[in-house]
Amino acid sequence: MSEELRFPIGEFDRDIEITPELRKAFVETIELLPFNLKSAVEDLDSEQLQTSYRPDGWNVTQVVHHVADSHINAVCRFKLALTEDFPTIRPYYEDRWADLADSAQMPIVHSLNILSGLHFRWAKLVGSMTDEEFQRKLNHPESGEWRLDEFLSLYAWHSKHHTAHITALRKREGWFSENFKNSEG
């Protein structure tokens, strides 16, 4: 399988120096995700929404619902780390969640609506955090210790990563519309 199909913006790089300017850009990415994702799926029909972005990958509907599931968990994880001392978060089987009826069959509008409100709140939360708060940590049982600035970096990447799955699929398939062309710049 092509790595470009799997990682259209490249793999996540945890080993970057996170400056205040970079954190600000991550917060902006979090804030803009609902708009960017909605633009990415604009005017897609039901058949297109059921198309996988890569062989053995999720379809567009599952991607949108996955982003909502993942980011709901992320906000909870941020709040745990801000209110508890080094909490251990609970992982989940995202592949199994994507096969549940609400992810596999429901219209994406519901997850787009969730993301709109969730990201508004999340951007306000992380936009108000102090340098000290970004140094707070949590423990992920599978990937270890994370500072909140690193976690913010991960979810900014995640936002762009899954949006790019959809926009790259649209480009490959020639699924252009006036709205999609405008959203691409």
Side-chain angles (χ1 to χ4, degrees):
M1 165 192 357
S2 166
E3 287 300 297
E4 187 175 313
L5 292 179
R6 190 167 176 216
F7 297 106
I9 63 167
E11 292 190 55
F12 175 67
D13 181 6
R14 188 171 175 181
D15 296 324
I16 59 171
E17 180 185 347
I18 301 175
T19 64
E21 295 77 24
L22 197 49
R23 266 196 333 241
K24 185 176 178 182
F26 296 153
V27 171
E28 185 175 303
T29 297
I30 295 300
E31 187 173 24
L32 292 176
L33 177 273
F35 171 78
N36 291 336
L37 194 58
K38 184 178 179 185
S39 294
V41 298
E42 190 104 35
D43 301 325
L44 292 180
D45 63 33
S46 58
E47 184 178 327
Q48 292 166 327
L49 290 169
Q50 292 303 309
T51 303
S52 296
Y53 70 89
R54 65 176 170 85
D56 299 318
W58 290 330
N59 63 46
V60 173
T61 295
Q62 288 172 303
V63 170
V64 173
H65 292 311
H66 161 72
V67 173
D69 289 341
S70 174
H71 292 196
I72 288 168
N73 277 285
V75 171
C76 292
R77 291 166 172 180
F78 264 84
K79 289 187 170 212
L80 287 169
L82 288 168
T83 60
E84 299 177 15
D85 291 328
F86 194 56
T88 296
I89 61 171
R90 189 178 189 293
Y92 67 100
Y93 296 106
E94 63 185 31
D95 56 332
R96 294 179 190 176
W97 285 36
D99 289 333
L100 295 173
D102 66 320
S103 293
Q105 301 164 4
M106 282 187 48
I108 61 173
V109 66
H110 303 295
S111 283
L112 292 172
N113 288 339
I114 287 169
L115 287 165
S116 180
L118 182 70
H119 276 251
F120 180 81
R121 288 188 61 184
W122 193 8
K124 294 299 178 197
L125 175 66
V126 293
S128 71
M129 287 171 57
T130 65
D131 291 340
E132 289 173 346
E133 288 172 321
F134 276 111
Q135 299 308 304
R136 293 185 65 90
K137 295 177 182 176
L138 56 81
N139 179 50
H140 190 296
E142 296 169 346
S143 57
E145 183 177 296
W146 288 79
R147 289 188 326 265
L148 286 182
D149 62 351
E150 293 172 319
F151 226 48
L152 178 63
S153 171
L154 172 65
Y155 283 99
W157 172 85
H158 190 258
S159 295
K160 291 179 177 182
H161 169 71
H162 284 302
T163 302
H165 281 146
I166 299 167
T167 57
L169 172 65
R170 287 186 77 137
K171 288 177 184 176
R172 283 193 313 276
E173 296 294 328
W175 296 341
F176 296 104
S177 69
E178 194 56 40
N179 289 334
F180 179 70
K181 285 186 221 173
N182 289 338
S183 72
E184 289 296 291

